[in-house]
Amino acid sequence: AINPVPKKMLENAIKEVGAKILEEKGITVIISVPKGAEIAKKTDNPRLGIIGGISILGTTGIVFPYSTASFAASIRQSLDVAITLGTLTVVLTTGGRSEDFAKGLFQDIPDYAFVQMGDFSGYTIKQCTKRSIKKVIIAGFIGKLTKLAMGIKQTHVRGSHVSLDFMARIASTCTTSEEIINEIKNANTARHVSEIIMKNNIPRFFDVICENVFKQMFSHADKQLDIIVIMFDFNGCVCGSYPSSFFQK
Protein backbone atom coordinates (compact mmCIF):
# COMPACT_ATOMS: atom_id res chain seq x y z
CA ALA A 1 0.00 0.00 0.00
CA ILE A 2 1.57 3.27 -1.13
CA ASN A 3 -0.19 6.57 -0.56
CA PRO A 4 -0.37 9.14 -3.41
CA VAL A 5 2.14 11.65 -2.00
CA PRO A 6 5.03 9.21 -1.38
CA LYS A 7 4.27 7.63 -4.75
CA LYS A 8 4.64 11.05 -6.39
CA MET A 9 7.90 11.60 -4.48
CA LEU A 10 9.24 8.32 -5.87
CA GLU A 11 8.22 9.29 -9.40
CA ASN A 12 9.91 12.69 -9.09
CA ALA A 13 13.11 11.14 -7.75
CA ILE A 14 13.25 8.70 -10.68
CA LYS A 15 12.73 11.49 -13.21
CA GLU A 16 15.43 13.59 -11.55
CA VAL A 17 18.15 10.92 -11.69
CA GLY A 18 17.13 8.94 -14.75
CA ALA A 19 15.06 11.09 -17.09
CA LYS A 20 16.96 9.98 -20.23
CA ILE A 21 16.77 6.28 -19.42
CA LEU A 22 13.12 6.68 -18.47
CA GLU A 23 12.39 8.24 -21.86
CA GLU A 24 14.41 5.73 -23.91
CA LYS A 25 13.88 2.43 -22.16
CA GLY A 26 11.64 2.94 -19.12
CA ILE A 27 12.59 2.05 -15.58
CA THR A 28 11.36 -0.82 -13.45
CA VAL A 29 11.17 0.10 -9.79
CA ILE A 30 11.16 -2.53 -7.05
CA ILE A 31 10.03 -1.24 -3.67
CA SER A 32 10.89 -3.28 -0.60
CA VAL A 33 11.06 -2.79 3.13
CA PRO A 34 13.48 -4.96 5.13
CA LYS A 35 11.44 -7.14 7.49
CA GLY A 36 8.30 -5.41 6.23
CA ALA A 37 6.05 -8.42 6.76
CA GLU A 38 7.29 -8.75 10.34
CA ILE A 39 6.93 -5.04 11.07
CA ALA A 40 3.43 -5.02 9.59
CA LYS A 41 2.18 -7.32 12.36
CA LYS A 42 2.77 -4.46 14.81
CA THR A 43 0.61 -2.04 12.81
CA ASP A 44 -3.11 -1.75 12.04
CA ASN A 45 -2.57 -3.11 8.51
CA PRO A 46 -4.02 -6.59 9.17
CA ARG A 47 -7.27 -5.14 10.54
CA LEU A 48 -7.54 -3.06 7.33
CA GLY A 49 -7.09 -6.13 5.14
CA ILE A 50 -3.48 -5.31 4.16
CA ILE A 51 -1.77 -8.65 4.73
CA GLY A 52 1.91 -9.54 4.47
CA GLY A 53 3.54 -6.13 4.16
CA ILE A 54 4.02 -2.64 5.50
CA SER A 55 2.42 0.52 4.13
CA ILE A 56 4.47 3.34 2.61
CA LEU A 57 2.66 6.34 4.00
CA GLY A 58 4.06 9.80 4.75
CA THR A 59 4.26 12.63 4.59
CA THR A 60 4.44 14.89 7.66
CA GLY A 61 4.94 12.37 10.45
CA ILE A 62 2.20 14.10 12.43
CA VAL A 63 -0.51 11.86 13.86
CA PHE A 64 -3.86 13.56 14.39
CA PRO A 65 -6.09 12.31 17.24
CA TYR A 66 -9.33 10.51 16.47
CA SER A 67 -12.55 12.44 16.63
CA THR A 68 -15.61 10.56 17.84
CA ALA A 69 -16.88 10.29 14.27
CA SER A 70 -13.52 9.01 13.05
CA PHE A 71 -13.33 6.36 15.76
CA ALA A 72 -16.87 5.22 14.96
CA ALA A 73 -15.94 5.06 11.26
CA SER A 74 -12.85 2.99 12.04
CA ILE A 75 -15.00 0.50 13.95
CA ARG A 76 -17.40 0.16 11.01
CA GLN A 77 -14.51 -0.25 8.58
CA SER A 78 -12.83 -2.87 10.75
CA LEU A 79 -16.05 -4.90 10.93
CA ASP A 80 -16.57 -4.61 7.17
CA VAL A 81 -13.01 -5.79 6.50
CA ALA A 82 -13.49 -8.80 8.78
CA ILE A 83 -16.72 -9.75 7.01
CA THR A 84 -15.24 -9.21 3.55
CA LEU A 85 -12.29 -11.45 4.41
CA GLY A 86 -14.64 -14.22 5.43
CA THR A 87 -15.02 -14.27 9.21
CA LEU A 88 -18.26 -14.06 11.12
CA THR A 89 -16.51 -14.05 14.52
CA VAL A 90 -14.89 -10.89 15.89
CA VAL A 91 -12.97 -10.15 19.07
CA LEU A 92 -13.92 -6.79 20.57
CA THR A 93 -11.36 -5.33 22.98
CA THR A 94 -11.35 -2.20 25.08
CA GLY A 95 -7.82 -1.20 24.05
CA GLY A 96 -4.43 -2.21 22.73
CA ARG A 97 -3.26 -4.10 25.80
CA SER A 98 -6.38 -6.23 26.07
CA GLU A 99 -6.12 -6.88 22.32
CA ASP A 100 -2.55 -8.12 22.72
CA PHE A 101 -3.62 -10.51 25.48
CA ALA A 102 -6.62 -11.67 23.41
CA LYS A 103 -4.41 -12.35 20.39
CA GLY A 104 -2.24 -14.57 22.56
CA LEU A 105 -5.33 -16.41 23.72
CA PHE A 106 -7.01 -16.81 20.32
CA GLN A 107 -4.10 -17.52 18.02
CA ASP A 108 -6.35 -19.21 15.46
CA ILE A 109 -8.36 -16.02 14.90
CA PRO A 110 -6.85 -13.75 12.18
CA ASP A 111 -5.62 -10.26 13.06
CA TYR A 112 -8.28 -8.55 10.99
CA ALA A 113 -10.99 -10.06 13.21
CA PHE A 114 -9.74 -8.11 16.24
CA VAL A 115 -11.52 -4.78 16.65
CA GLN A 116 -10.65 -2.18 19.27
CA MET A 117 -14.00 -0.76 20.34
CA GLY A 118 -12.46 1.49 23.00
CA ASP A 119 -15.24 3.28 24.87
CA PHE A 120 -17.79 2.63 22.09
CA SER A 121 -19.05 -0.73 23.32
CA GLY A 122 -22.75 -0.11 22.78
CA TYR A 123 -22.17 1.37 19.33
CA THR A 124 -19.93 -1.52 18.31
CA ILE A 125 -22.41 -4.15 19.44
CA LYS A 126 -25.17 -2.43 17.46
CA GLN A 127 -22.94 -2.34 14.37
CA CYS A 128 -22.24 -6.07 14.76
CA THR A 129 -25.97 -6.69 15.00
CA LYS A 130 -26.64 -4.72 11.80
CA ARG A 131 -24.07 -6.80 9.92
CA SER A 132 -23.74 -10.54 9.42
CA ILE A 133 -21.54 -11.04 12.49
CA LYS A 134 -22.60 -14.19 14.31
CA LYS A 135 -20.24 -14.42 17.27
CA VAL A 136 -18.59 -11.76 19.42
CA ILE A 137 -15.87 -12.23 22.02
CA ILE A 138 -15.59 -9.25 24.38
CA ALA A 139 -12.27 -8.97 26.21
CA GLY A 140 -11.06 -6.38 28.69
CA PHE A 141 -10.01 -5.55 32.23
CA ILE A 142 -12.06 -5.11 35.37
CA GLY A 143 -12.61 -1.32 35.08
CA LYS A 144 -14.20 -1.16 31.64
CA LEU A 145 -16.00 -4.49 32.02
CA THR A 146 -17.55 -3.39 35.31
CA LYS A 147 -18.93 -0.30 33.55
CA LEU A 148 -20.42 -2.56 30.87
CA ALA A 149 -21.87 -4.80 33.59
CA MET A 150 -23.52 -1.70 35.08
CA GLY A 151 -25.22 -1.02 31.75
CA ILE A 152 -22.97 1.85 30.64
CA LYS A 153 -22.61 1.69 26.85
CA GLN A 154 -20.15 4.60 26.44
CA THR A 155 -17.39 4.05 28.95
CA HIS A 156 -15.16 7.12 28.69
CA VAL A 157 -13.86 8.07 32.12
CA ARG A 158 -15.31 11.59 31.92
CA GLY A 159 -18.80 10.37 31.26
CA SER A 160 -18.99 7.33 33.52
CA HIS A 161 -17.66 6.04 36.79
CA VAL A 162 -17.32 2.59 38.29
CA SER A 163 -19.77 2.14 41.15
CA LEU A 164 -18.10 0.58 44.17
CA ASP A 165 -21.57 -0.10 45.59
CA PHE A 166 -22.36 -2.12 42.46
CA MET A 167 -19.14 -4.10 42.90
CA ALA A 168 -19.98 -4.64 46.56
CA ARG A 169 -23.40 -6.02 45.59
CA ILE A 170 -21.71 -8.43 43.20
CA ALA A 171 -19.33 -9.45 45.96
CA SER A 172 -22.23 -10.08 48.34
CA THR A 173 -23.41 -12.86 46.02
CA CYS A 174 -20.00 -14.51 46.33
CA THR A 175 -19.16 -14.05 50.04
CA THR A 176 -20.97 -13.49 53.32
CA SER A 177 -18.09 -11.52 54.83
CA GLU A 178 -19.35 -8.06 55.75
CA GLU A 179 -15.77 -6.99 56.37
CA ILE A 180 -14.76 -7.73 52.78
CA ILE A 181 -17.91 -6.12 51.37
CA ASN A 182 -17.26 -2.93 53.36
CA GLU A 183 -13.63 -2.95 52.24
CA ILE A 184 -14.83 -3.05 48.62
CA LYS A 185 -17.23 -0.16 49.23
CA ASN A 186 -14.29 1.91 50.49
CA ALA A 187 -11.82 0.88 47.79
CA ASN A 188 -10.08 3.48 45.63
CA THR A 189 -10.54 1.97 42.16
CA ALA A 190 -11.87 -1.08 40.34
CA ARG A 191 -8.32 -2.41 40.25
CA HIS A 192 -8.15 -2.02 44.03
CA VAL A 193 -11.34 -4.09 44.26
CA SER A 194 -9.75 -6.83 42.15
CA GLU A 195 -6.81 -6.90 44.54
CA ILE A 196 -9.19 -7.31 47.50
CA ILE A 197 -11.00 -10.14 45.71
CA MET A 198 -7.76 -11.95 44.88
CA LYS A 199 -6.25 -11.40 48.33
CA ASN A 200 -9.27 -13.01 49.96
CA ASN A 201 -9.75 -15.73 47.31
CA ILE A 202 -13.39 -14.80 46.71
CA PRO A 203 -14.80 -17.30 44.20
CA ARG A 204 -16.85 -16.42 41.10
CA PHE A 205 -16.65 -12.63 41.49
CA PHE A 206 -14.99 -11.99 38.13
CA ASP A 207 -17.25 -14.53 36.44
CA VAL A 208 -20.34 -12.75 37.79
CA ILE A 209 -19.06 -9.43 36.42
CA CYS A 210 -18.63 -11.10 33.03
CA GLU A 211 -22.12 -12.60 33.29
CA ASN A 212 -23.59 -9.15 33.84
CA VAL A 213 -21.64 -7.83 30.84
CA PHE A 214 -23.12 -10.66 28.78
CA LYS A 215 -26.66 -9.83 29.90
CA GLN A 216 -26.26 -6.13 29.08
CA MET A 217 -24.64 -6.69 25.67
CA PHE A 218 -26.92 -9.58 24.69
CA SER A 219 -29.95 -7.40 25.38
CA HIS A 220 -28.36 -4.46 23.53
CA ALA A 221 -27.82 -6.78 20.54
CA ASP A 222 -31.53 -7.67 20.55
CA LYS A 223 -30.47 -11.21 21.49
CA GLN A 224 -29.08 -11.75 17.99
CA LEU A 225 -25.40 -12.38 18.80
CA ASP A 226 -23.54 -15.31 20.33
CA ILE A 227 -21.48 -13.48 22.98
CA ILE A 228 -18.55 -14.61 25.12
CA VAL A 229 -17.04 -12.29 27.74
CA ILE A 230 -13.48 -12.61 29.03
CA MET A 231 -11.77 -10.63 31.78
CA PHE A 232 -7.98 -10.43 32.01
CA ASP A 233 -5.99 -9.64 35.10
CA PHE A 234 -3.17 -7.15 34.64
CA ASN A 235 -0.68 -9.92 33.87
CA GLY A 236 -2.74 -11.14 30.94
CA CYS A 237 -4.23 -14.20 32.63
CA VAL A 238 -7.94 -14.95 32.32
CA CYS A 239 -9.52 -14.28 35.72
CA GLY A 240 -13.18 -14.36 34.68
CA SER A 241 -15.40 -15.43 31.82
CA TYR A 242 -18.98 -16.03 30.81
CA PRO A 243 -20.10 -18.62 30.06
CA SER A 244 -17.88 -19.53 33.02
CA SER A 245 -17.32 -22.99 31.53
CA PHE A 246 -15.63 -21.39 28.50
CA PHE A 247 -12.29 -21.56 30.32
CA GLN A 248 -11.17 -24.08 32.84
CA LYS A 249 -9.32 -21.82 35.24
Side-chain angles (χ1 to χ4, degrees), residues 10-29:
L10 289 168
E11 291 175 349
N12 290 340
I14 293 165
K15 291 176 181 176
E16 182 179 338
V17 300
K20 187 175 181 181
I21 299 174
L22 183 64
E23 185 178 343
E24 293 177 355
K25 299 181 179 180
I27 296 176
T28 298
V29 179

Side-chain angles (χ1 to χ4, degrees), residues 23-228:
E23 185 178 343
E24 293 177 355
K25 299 181 179 180
I27 296 176
T28 298
V29 179
I30 298 174
I31 301 168
S32 66
V33 178
K35 299 183 179 180
E38 181 180 338
I39 295 171
K41 295 177 182 178
K42 300 178 182 180
T43 73
D44 284 341
N45 275 7
R47 74 175 73 247
L48 299 175
I50 304 168
I51 308 297
I54 197 73
S55 297
I56 309 299
L57 301 174
T59 54
T60 66
I62 298 172
V63 178
F64 292 94
Y66 271 126
S67 66
T68 297
S70 296
F71 202 104
S74 75
I75 290 170
R76 295 194 301 272
Q77 181 179 10
S78 296
L79 293 174
D80 289 340
V81 167
I83 293 169
T84 300
L85 293 178
T87 183
L88 299 180
T89 298
V90 295
V91 182
L92 306 180
T93 63
T94 52
R97 195 174 178 205
S98 55
E99 180 178 89
D100 289 341
F101 289 152
K103 284 182 176 179
L105 197 61
F106 299 102
Q107 297 183 15
D108 57 329
I109 296 180
D111 282 354
Y112 54 76
F114 288 80
V115 178
Q116 289 187 30
M117 62 180 177
D119 297 311
F120 295 78
S121 55
Y123 178 82
T124 306
I125 287 293
K126 280 296 187 184
Q127 291 301 313
C128 288
T129 305
K130 290 179 179 179
R131 289 160 169 79
S132 52
I133 299 295
K134 301 298 182 185
K135 184 176 182 179
V136 166
I137 300 170
I138 298 173
F141 301 105
I142 188 167
K144 289 290 177 68
L145 290 187
T146 298
K147 290 182 181 182
L148 298 185
M150 292 165 56
I152 298 171
K153 305 301 189 299
Q154 218 291 354
T155 57
H156 191 277
V157 66
R158 291 184 180 178
S160 61
H161 299 279
V162 172
S163 169
L164 295 175
D165 286 339
F166 174 83
M167 300 186 86
R169 288 197 297 274
I170 296 294
S172 68
T173 68
C174 306
T175 180
T176 57
S177 172
E178 289 296 328
E179 182 180 351
I180 292 173
I181 293 170
N182 286 331
E183 189 177 359
I184 289 172
K185 288 181 179 179
N186 292 288
N188 296 316
T189 62
R191 181 168 184 165
H192 186 190
V193 172
S194 71
E195 292 169 355
I196 295 169
I197 294 298
M198 291 178 177
K199 178 183 68 176
N200 292 281
N201 296 313
I202 305 302
R204 296 185 55 254
F205 178 84
F206 301 118
D207 289 337
V208 176
I209 293 286
C210 291
E211 181 179 0
N212 278 270
V213 174
F214 169 84
K215 289 177 179 178
Q216 292 288 344
M217 294 295 102
F218 190 58
S219 175
H220 198 58
D222 300 323
K223 302 181 179 181
Q224 295 181 31
L225 295 176
D226 181 9
I227 298 176
I228 294 170

